[in-house]
Amino acid sequence: MPALIENEVSGEPAVISEFPAGAEPFVIIKQDVEIEVDFLEQSIRGVSTIHLFTINPDQEEIQLDARQCDIDLENITVDGYKTTATFSDPYDLTKVPRQWQIGAAQHHILKRRMAPLRPPKRPEVPNKDRVTRPCCVPADRSLKISLRRPDGMSRDEPRRTLKLKAPVKSDRDPPRDAPDDSGEEKHGIKISIPFRSKNIRDGLHFVGVDEGDLRYPHVYTLHSLEPGTASCIFPCVDDPASRHPWRISIKCPRTLGDVFGRSPAAQQSATTAALAPLSPGGSRKRKLGEPPTPPASPPVFLSEEDRLMEMTVICSGNLSGEQIDPKDPRKKIMTFESQLSAAHQIAFAIGPFEHIQLWSEFRTEEADEKLGANAAKIHAYCLPRRADEVRNTCAPIVAAADFFAPEFGRYPFESYKVVFVDDMVPDTVAATSMSLCSNRLLYPEDIVDTEIDVTRTLVHALASQYFGVHVVPNQRSDMWLIIGIQWFMTDLFMRTLCGNNWYRFHLKTLSDRLVETDVHRPSLHDLGEYLHIGDFELEFMSLKAPLVLFILDQRMSKIPGSMGIVRIISQIVSTANINATIESTSLSDTDFRRACEKKSQYRPDELWQQWVHGAGCPKLLIKQRFNKKNLNVDIVITQTQARDSAQPKAITKDEFLKELLEEVHEVWAGTVPKLFTGPFTVRIHEADGTPYEHYLAITDKDKLGTTLQIAYNTKYKRMKRTKKATAAAAAAAAAGGNAADQEDDVVYFNMLGDVLMSQRDVENWGLQDWSEAVQQAMDQESYEWIRLDCNFEWLCEMITDMPGYMYLAQLQQDRDVVAHQDAMLFFKRGRRHGVASTIETRTAMDRRYYHGIRTMAIEDLPKQADADLNYIGTAQLILLFRHFFCDRMVGKNGSVTYPPVPNDFADKAQYAVQCALPAAIARTRENGRCSRQARNFLLDLLLFNDNSENDYSDHFYIAKLLDALTTSIIPDNWHGERDLYSSLGSDEDDELELKRFIEKAIEEIDKYRRMDEWTSTYQNIWTRTALRCKMRLMKANVIPTAPLEFVRYLQDGNHDLIRIEAFDCLVELGMLAKVSIMRLLLACVSGDPSPFVRDRLFKIFSKGMALVALGETKAVQDKPQEEILDDSGLVVELGEAEMQQRRLAATRNQSIQAALAALKEELRGNIELQEAIWTAIESPIISVREKFQLLTLCSAMFEQDDSLLLTFNYPKVWKCTRVPSFDESPFASSAHRANVRKRCMVKFSTQYRTAPRRRYATEPVVPPLPWEPKPPEVKKIKLSSKPSFSGPSGGGAPQTPSGPVRRDSISVTLTRPTASAAAAAVTPAAPSDSIAVQPLARVSATPPVASSPPPSSAPGLVLPALHPSSIAKPSPSSSAPRSKPPKKRKSEEADNHADRPAKKLATANGRPRKIVKLPFTAWDRLPGRIRDKIRAEQTAAPAPAASSSSTIIATPAANRTPLPGHGSSGGSGVSASSPSVDHRGPPGTNGNGNGLSSAVKKRKPLPSAAPHNHSHPPTGAAATATTLHHSPSPVGTPAAKPVVGGDATTGEPKKKVIKLKLKPSVHATPPQTPR
């Protein structure tokens, strides 16, 4: 950045383009950080000084990042002047407020609260866009600092802005971490921020400080791929693309003894406190301004040698100064300077580290002179007494640095530091000029099993300094290119160390794994956005990205005159070393692809589209045949990956967490190309033995398949080389001659696998040859074999129809290890056959094969232990082990024994074979169990193991023997009620022998477990293996389940790996169903001080939940089920429930949605698990990432509960009391006493108000009387001739009736108003709700008209007369369907009794029920013709009497008795079970008014209609809806007593459902159209 900007003091601001979203208009020039580390308090404090330039000259505020710290806002300065600032710690969002009472079911509430800590997608500005638009992208913007100038400064001074200039190319190549002396920070804005950490969760990790932790104390930084971790250490701009120089000063204790000792100031204060007089209570109060007494440090017992150990600081950059603290001689200050680094790339570690100069110990003088200035200085740091392990482990790093320098370019920094610390979650973390590595990687010189994997990991950490630290991705989607180049460089060095066979075998193994893994996964381009989800995403990218670069290199190298990607990588590194600018140190896949096209003539467009932007791997189905007519070899290639990708992939317990997190973060699978294209090389080994290579290509011309035609070159008869060579070898061996005496026409060659060829070996080993039919088919073939994709340009799965004898020729005659691997994969896919067993045995016997090919043959031989083959596979495996690793001894009685020879692991290839053979022997089966001979053979290997003469350790070899012994005991299927050991009897010899063998095996397992307690093995591998073996035996139901075997290893003092293994065994056995085990596991997940242990235990807990989701274990212990008996005593089986369970079990692993649904169903009501996991979430130790993971797991386990219970404090009130004033002195004057009497002394005190100020009088709710059922009374009811009508009670449009069903009443929902509403309802002008009544078989979309509420004092609800003429016939143009007229009943055939008095329902207290009148008011909605007709009829008709008015009697629906044959809901539009029905009303009320209770609640008054005067002409439409009106009560009518109604808990009024009956009036009605 300093090379791109210069200071400009001018009055005119520079023209800057519009900033991207999320960017801030300023640039960091330099940052200085001063840190003081306190080990006892596990905290840091210091000052962060940031030098920056603002892009906008009028900018008033700067936003920075800071987390989990306290900012001294009063002392923040800008250019030396104090300013105003605000800070809101984002980590406060992780704490649940005290008012919230939530649990695991409300996980989404806390997750939504913590959303700002990890937004779904952070804003991103590509690095190269910042050249023209300089900016920063803070992560949180939690610290806001004002840039306003103080009053004393001149406001006319122009603000300094940025001026862009072209970068100056320098011929000199300075180191990237050299201090910057340009002085540009002097002209920028300088902001100083004092800070202090609090409750460190992220960013730092302290080891050996807690009580009981006996490890050496040290501290180191934590890192993550997502921004936010660096701001947990010090305030900064946590932007990966903001790279600038740094100056870091760290103050720490000088020696190890000073770590646990107090400073002189603290000691002086403690001494002063001890000498000060105590108060009578035994304690001394502090004086004003006196610092508090520091807490007493726990006693630490250190030897004198340990106390004098020097504390060392290893930090990014170069050490520029070291001095003793002038204020405290027990502390020292070390200063480091670095250039061009981002905040997340700054790392440091403090501890009593030992220093090893690797570059001087493992680099010769000749190599040092040859490299010259390119020789990198490599240092290693480790905890005391581990220097020898570091030398043995890190020796290849020097060789890797010497390989990278001439091959790819000079190391970009002056030195490289490797620091080994404890409790790291990943194995390595790359930072600027240093790497933090886990102590788990260290191994002594006698361990050979982990050297290749550990060396590859450490070399990758060195390669990350080139790409990842120095050269960074342009944006997140380019991360695959950085990861791919890292591992590509690593594997190229490993090829020089392990050989070309290892390199190609390794890449082929990774390719096969990629084909199995890359199913329903995103593309490499899209995967960069989701690397922060979990380490599985980075692992998948580390698997696929280097393989894509490898096939790109293979395709580019084929073109003449082109260079591979090695030269392109070298050019990128050289350009970045010469000129360290944003453009040169940022790499995008577009620039890399353009460089590939420029350096070679190959255009990688199709490769980029299919392998970078596409997903999946090709699956090729290849068929070949020889065309004798045209002398061509026709090859048809069909690609099936698109069809296979559409099939669902079964979810396993190991992939459950990955599928869950991808489901939550919406990671979608990429598009799988239907057709992969590219060059395809075919090599045909024709009859004369000459290989002919044909460079072909698969194009997209043929959509269904690709047909390749290859010309055949051999024109003469095929020579049978294999058969002649075999016959000649056998004849030469019989005659005692040599190969020189054979015939001249035989072609001689060195064929692999030509061992065990004599007749005696064939008989002793049970070998077979091809049958006569196969021999004849071999003679008819025109070529030996066809090698497809011989240049390894495809990452695919190839299945061909080539016969087995061609694969045998490829295995024996091809020199490429990948060809051997393809042949072994063919035999592995094939069926059992004696010839296949012979081929695999000879392959394992021939030591000229690569050891990986030999182990593949050994691993496939157990398949040949079949009854059809006379279990030949078992015998051949035992003979293989005896041949290589046993001696033949003949006893005195002539018995022959084969004791194992003493171990010798000097030949590592033979050691790999020796480890693979016992595991293969244990997997052989006879009748479902391992044979007695194989089991005893394995037990003898363990008993007679001798490692006394071996230079290497046999820890791993013993562990593999214990695993093999355990595998030999476990049968294929055992479903007995008891375990296998308990079910074996003593009557039969086989069962007795097996029982004794199980006892011996368990005794051996326990013996090595106890030996590990006395003599520790490497990482306690014997104890971990013993626990794993016991778990497997218990899970297979071989021995009884004993959880205490594992629980005793869960103590804190045990090795971390042992505790993790014990928890894993308990989860595999389904012990999460035990509440105590589950609580202990979650307590360790949230409370263990080691982040590595917490991470592994969380994955184990997730696997336990996966076992529950997939149905393999239960979430709770099964309760004994009682048998269901019917009346006859038969056992009733729940067949339907069992079938449903089976269907669920069959589909729950097909998708993550089905698995999550099954998991939630299993955990429903598990309160103990909810409490335990919520306690883990509230832990103050776990990091934010771990908290998010636990919350995500909660979302998979429990349904969301949107309720939130809050707790509020009582209101605080002040109480004022008058204190009587008096003078205690008896000598006071009278004037003084007079003044005292005039005083008023008032005392104020606070208290909580626990009761309301006023009590509101509420009438008690009368409880309903107990309901007494009464027999139904038979009564005759004569209904009106007109059919009743029913309608909804709401104000919406009426619904179309479903059919011609006779309804005798209408149901209306009435809502009771509150007291205030009833009082306000006296005014008739106020609008209110109305009740819509819909006649039967009539439809109208006209809403009802609102009316005014009635007065609350009305004794009854009286409806005005409803004239029958108001019911108009429907319009002929109406589109509503007309329903059929209902059938008439007998009551309707009778005469209309118009003079019949209106019925009144009497209650138990004798008072009449309320009368409701329904007038028609929608006159304005009637058509003009109908309105005139009705007006004429009303004018001519006489006024009706008051007694003959049409009335509607309203009766509560709950109190009505249905008519016979109509059911309870026959006449109501609302069901009896509707929520609107008040079932708490007095029972016993029927339609006749009998049996009514006296305790009747007051109903809500029906709304009144406005206006009451109906003399005006109507102006309505069709009268399909009516509005209820309230008439004033007549004089003398007694008022109803108010009864309190409504819900007592919520205060809301209750709703009543009433039924209305319509009575016709006495006057004439207008003519109506018959229905």
Side-chain angles (χ1 to χ4, degrees), residues 69 83 89 96 219 405 449 552 564 568 850 875 971 1053 1118 1183 1321 1346 1367 1450:
C69 61
T83 184
D89 191 359
V96 179
V219 62
D449 299 76
L552 173 64
I568 299 175
Y850 178 65
D1118 294 334
S1183 63
I1367 305 176

Side-chain angles (χ1 to χ4, degrees), residues 705-768:
T706 303
T707 302
L708 306 177
Q709 292 185 353
I710 303 174
Y712 191 71
N713 297 282
T714 304
K715 304 300 182 182
Y716 50 88
K717 184 179 179 181
R718 175 182 180 272
M719 295 185 298
K720 305 176 183 57
R721 301 183 299 128
T722 305
K723 187 174 181 180
K724 288 185 179 183
T726 304
N738 50 24
D741 300 333
Q742 298 178 10
E743 299 179 1
D744 296 335
D745 60 342
V746 178
V747 179
Y748 306 105
F749 57 92
N750 186 13
M751 185 176 66
L752 299 175
D754 53 353
V755 295
L756 303 179
M757 303 297 294
S758 64
Q759 186 64 28
R760 180 180 178 182
D761 292 335
V762 171
E763 295 175 358
N764 292 339
W765 289 73
L767 306 179
Q768 297 183 19

Side-chain angles (χ1 to χ4, degrees), residues 510-726:
L510 295 182
S511 175
D512 296 339
R513 189 190 308 169
L514 177 64
V515 173
E516 299 176 0
T517 308
D518 196 3
V519 179
H520 303 161
R521 299 305 304 271
S523 63
L524 283 177
H525 183 270
D526 298 337
L527 193 61
E529 301 286 346
Y530 308 106
L531 290 180
H532 63 279
I533 295 177
D535 51 1
F536 47 84
E537 304 290 1
L538 185 60
E539 291 176 1
F540 177 73
M541 180 176 286
S542 302
L543 173 66
K544 185 174 183 179
L547 291 175
V548 173
L549 292 181
F550 170 75
I551 63 173
L552 173 64
D553 181 67
Q554 292 294 103
R555 297 183 182 186
M556 290 175 57
S557 302
K558 287 176 53 177
I559 301 177
S562 65
M563 297 181 295
I565 65 173
V566 176
R567 299 299 94 191
I568 299 175
I569 296 174
S570 177
Q571 182 181 3
I572 294 173
V573 173
S574 300
T575 304
N577 286 339
I578 294 174
N579 188 17
T581 61
I582 292 181
E583 290 182 303
S584 61
T585 58
S586 300
L587 181 62
S588 65
D589 62 349
T590 304
D591 297 337
F592 188 80
R593 180 173 60 177
R594 189 180 300 111
C596 293
E597 296 177 1
K598 184 177 180 181
K599 296 297 179 181
S600 66
Q601 303 302 321
Y602 175 70
R603 296 182 59 86
D605 295 339
E606 58 181 5
L607 185 141
W608 239 255
Q609 184 66 27
Q610 297 165 8
W611 296 97
V612 177
H613 296 276
C617 293
K619 296 184 178 181
L620 308 180
L621 183 62
I622 302 176
K623 297 182 180 180
Q624 51 82 30
R625 69 183 184 89
F626 180 70
N627 192 341
K628 296 182 179 180
K629 181 178 180 181
N630 299 328
L631 291 180
N632 291 334
V633 178
D634 298 336
I635 299 177
V636 179
I637 303 176
T638 306
Q639 300 189 22
T640 63
Q641 66 274 356
R643 180 186 60 193
D644 296 342
S645 63
Q647 302 296 328
K649 181 182 178 182
I651 300 176
T652 62
K653 60 182 180 182
D654 297 326
E655 296 180 350
F656 175 79
L657 181 60
K658 174 183 71 67
E659 296 289 339
L660 170 62
L661 294 178
E662 289 184 349
E663 177 72 15
V664 171
H665 290 85
E666 298 181 353
V667 180
W668 307 112
T671 304
V672 180
K674 295 183 179 180
L675 188 66
F676 282 84
T677 59
F680 195 78
T681 306
V682 179
R683 181 187 301 160
I684 300 180
H685 293 258
E686 297 188 1
D688 58 350
T690 304
Y692 294 91
E693 285 193 3
H694 303 271
Y695 299 98
L696 308 173
I698 297 179
T699 61
D700 54 355
K701 295 181 179 179
D702 299 329
K703 300 299 181 181
L704 300 179
T706 303
T707 302
L708 306 177
Q709 292 185 353
I710 303 174
Y712 191 71
N713 297 282
T714 304
K715 304 300 182 182
Y716 50 88
K717 184 179 179 181
R718 175 182 180 272
M719 295 185 298
K720 305 176 183 57
R721 301 183 299 128
T722 305
K723 187 174 181 180
K724 288 185 179 183
T726 304

Side-chain angles (χ1 to χ4, degrees), residues 895-1174:
S895 60
V896 180
T897 58
Y898 296 90
V901 299
N903 295 331
D904 184 12
F905 300 156
D907 189 348
K908 297 177 182 178
Q910 282 295 98
Y911 174 64
V913 174
Q914 185 175 355
C915 292
L917 280 171
I921 294 173
R923 289 189 292 110
T924 58
R925 291 293 181 266
E926 293 184 10
N927 299 324
R929 295 180 183 177
C930 188
S931 62
R932 177 186 301 184
Q933 179 187 8
R935 287 190 279 106
N936 291 331
F937 180 78
L938 294 175
L939 185 60
D940 292 341
L941 291 181
L942 198 59
L943 292 174
F944 298 104
N945 178 67
D946 183 10
N947 202 63
S948 59
E949 301 178 2
N950 192 9
D951 295 334
Y952 300 96
S953 173
D954 63 344
H955 295 166
F956 284 88
Y957 179 63
I958 292 295
K960 293 176 182 178
L961 288 180
L962 292 175
D963 277 332
L965 190 63
T966 304
T967 306
S968 65
I969 300 175
I970 299 175
D972 287 345
N973 293 308
W974 175 255
H975 303 291
E977 297 181 357
R978 298 189 299 169
D979 56 276
L980 177 62
Y981 177 78
S982 302
S983 62
L984 293 175
S986 303
D987 299 335
E988 299 183 5
D989 295 340
D990 293 340
E991 293 188 357
L992 181 60
E993 184 272 335
L994 180 57
K995 189 171 186 178
R996 291 179 178 176
F997 183 83
I998 293 176
E999 295 174 354
K1000 293 180 181 179
I1002 295 177
E1003 182 181 354
E1004 288 296 315
I1005 293 173
D1006 290 336
K1007 181 184 74 174
Y1008 282 99
R1009 178 182 55 82
R1010 291 191 300 268
M1011 289 174 59
D1012 194 18
E1013 295 177 1
W1014 293 98
T1015 58
S1016 295
T1017 57
Y1018 175 73
Q1019 296 182 353
N1020 296 106
I1021 189 172
W1022 285 356
T1023 302
R1024 291 158 48 203
T1025 304
L1027 295 177
R1028 175 65 56 178
C1029 294
K1030 287 286 190 69
M1031 183 274 297
R1032 293 177 58 198
L1033 292 175
M1034 294 177 187
K1035 191 174 182 179
N1037 204 15
V1038 175
I1039 59 176
T1041 302
L1044 291 179
E1045 292 278 347
F1046 314 100
V1047 173
R1048 59 183 178 179
Y1049 288 97
L1050 301 180
Q1051 300 178 4
D1052 293 338
N1054 292 326
H1055 194 269
D1056 292 343
L1057 297 178
I1058 296 179
R1059 296 173 55 211
I1060 294 171
E1061 189 70 37
F1063 271 119
D1064 193 12
C1065 294
L1066 288 172
V1067 170
E1068 287 284 351
L1069 292 175
M1071 290 296 109
L1072 277 183
K1074 291 184 176 293
V1075 179
S1076 58
I1077 300 296
M1078 178 265 296
R1079 289 184 181 275
L1080 179 60
L1081 175 57
L1082 286 174
C1084 294
V1085 168
S1086 60
D1088 196 276
S1090 172
F1092 169 73
V1093 175
R1094 295 199 304 266
D1095 179 74
R1096 294 299 185 269
L1097 291 185
F1098 171 76
K1099 293 179 180 178
I1100 291 174
F1101 180 74
S1102 302
K1103 184 170 68 173
M1105 291 297 102
L1107 293 175
V1108 176
L1110 301 179
E1112 298 184 21
T1113 59
K1114 296 292 183 180
V1116 294
Q1117 289 182 329
D1118 294 334
K1119 298 180 180 180
Q1121 298 181 357
E1122 298 180 358
E1123 294 182 348
I1124 304 176
L1125 304 178
D1126 60 359
D1127 297 337
S1128 60
L1130 298 177
V1131 179
V1132 179
E1133 295 183 357
L1134 303 177
E1136 184 63 27
E1138 185 177 356
M1139 294 298 295
Q1140 177 110 12
Q1141 191 69 18
R1142 290 182 180 179
R1143 285 194 293 267
L1144 179 62
T1147 59
R1148 66 199 313 174
N1149 65 340
Q1150 297 300 316
S1151 65
I1152 186 61
Q1153 293 82 8
L1156 294 180
L1159 178 61
K1160 292 178 180 179
E1161 186 65 27
E1162 290 283 346
L1163 300 180
R1164 189 183 303 274
N1166 196 334
I1167 305 300
E1168 293 84 0
L1169 180 58
Q1170 293 186 19
E1171 294 176 353
I1173 196 171
W1174 193 251

